[in-house]
Amino acid sequence: MTDAEENNADEARQAGAQYFLKPSDFVLTVTKLADLPSARAVEVAFAGRSNVGKSSLLNALVGRRNLARTSNTPGRTQALNFFSVGTHLSLVDMPGYGYARVSKSQVAAWTALVFDYLAGRAGLRRTFLLIDARHGIKANDREVMDILDEAAVSFQVVLTKADKVSAEALKSLMTRTAADLASRPAAHPQILATSSRQGSGLDELRAAIAGFLPPDQRGVRL
Ligand code: GDP
């Protein structure tokens, strides 16, 4: 990175950190598309296999312990959970996938809800696809990437639980993942590595999200 790029990245991280100081709240749970809330200025969604650390990451992003809860237990109604951060941003928690023992009809219901949401949501700027840094991309992650490609929704991979792997393993996973994503039209080339436990990578993720907000809505620069 050049000095100028470094400064820009710093500014973006500060703006992201600043925006996420705004109050966050649960908005509603949606199980059918007719119930979708009206879109805020910016909406971003989070998807990932169950247990990937999605609730922990959402809570860490907004600095709250229990805003998002692990509630996507097998057999439960699949739902989209909406959260607000300040007045301009919505975070959407998509149902976890990849349980070993879900029926075909449950998978079909998941796919239908998610695809319809992704394909029809004009305000949705990006889906963050969470991948466990210990496991890398799995077959069902690829199926979700196919859905994202088909719905033409920009998505970005966020590695979770980075604290669980060595720096070398993380680096090699990032290289492999980038190569894997190169042929995917909807994939953002930058891969983020995060640890909710250690707080690493969170400001980069906040910056990526706040980058969608118009400058006057990002909050005062620190
Ligand atoms: P979800 O099912 O995707 O919402 O996953 P959770 O957020 O409930 O996390 C699943 C498990 O992973 C829990 O036991 C968390 O404590 C653990 N976990 C989540 N994030 C991290 C992390 O950054 N580091 C480590 N070491 N564990 C994590």
Side-chain angles (χ1 to χ4, degrees):
M1 260 199 221
T2 63
D3 282 356
E5 284 169 342
E6 198 79 65
N7 280 342
N8 284 344
D10 260 357
E11 276 189 17
R13 275 195 295 271
Q14 283 179 16
Q18 180 84 2
Y19 187 85
F20 274 84
L21 292 176
K22 292 178 188 288
S24 53
D25 220 337
F26 169 73
V27 178
L28 89 167
T29 297
V30 166
T31 54
K32 55 183 194 304
L33 291 176
D35 298 339
L36 282 178
S38 56
R40 290 179 179 234
V42 172
E43 186 163 294
V44 293
F46 294 80
R49 287 157 54 86
S50 50
N51 213 41
V52 71
K54 185 156 52 64
S55 320
S56 304
L57 186 68
L58 283 164
N59 289 329
L61 269 182
V62 299
R64 288 185 55 176
R65 226 167 239 276
N66 282 316
L67 188 63
R69 276 176 297 160
T70 313
S71 55
N72 300 320
T73 41
R76 278 188 63 144
T77 312
Q78 299 284 20
L80 302 166
N81 284 301
F82 284 73
F83 303 97
S84 61
V85 184
T87 47
H88 302 299
L89 175 64
S90 292
L91 307 180
V92 183
D93 185 3
M94 307 218 308
Y97 54 85
Y99 288 111
R101 280 192 295 266
V102 290
S103 66
K104 276 205 170 134
S105 67
Q106 282 173 309
V107 172
W110 188 96
T111 308
L113 177 70
V114 165
F115 183 80
D116 288 350
Y117 164 71
L118 291 172
R121 194 68 167 164
L124 177 65
R125 301 304 179 87
R126 187 168 293 169
T127 295
F128 293 97
L129 182 60
L130 276 44
I131 303 286
D132 192 318
R134 294 171 301 179
H135 307 314
I137 295 172
K138 297 282 185 195
N140 39 23
D141 298 316
R142 288 184 207 287
E143 285 166 21
V144 172
M145 289 184 200
D146 290 343
I147 294 175
L148 289 158
D149 275 335
E150 200 180 322
V153 172
S154 155
F155 73 90
Q156 182 167 11
V157 166
V158 176
L159 302 176
T160 59
K161 310 187 191 180
D163 58 283
K164 287 279 201 184
V165 297
S166 69
E168 300 87 80
L170 189 61
K171 206 171 152 210
S172 115
L173 176 65
M174 287 177 92
T175 309
R176 272 184 283 131
T177 307
D180 211 321
L181 294 175
S183 60
R184 297 225 168 235
H188 190 281
Q190 187 194 16
I191 297 161
L192 299 172
T194 61
S195 163
S196 305
R197 193 157 286 178
Q198 296 184 332
S200 59
L202 298 180
D203 276 346
E204 284 73 13
L205 180 52
R206 293 183 185 114
I209 298 169
F212 293 116
L213 294 161
D216 64 319
Q217 294 172 7
R218 286 178 205 164
V220 183
R221 211 180 282 159
L222 290 172

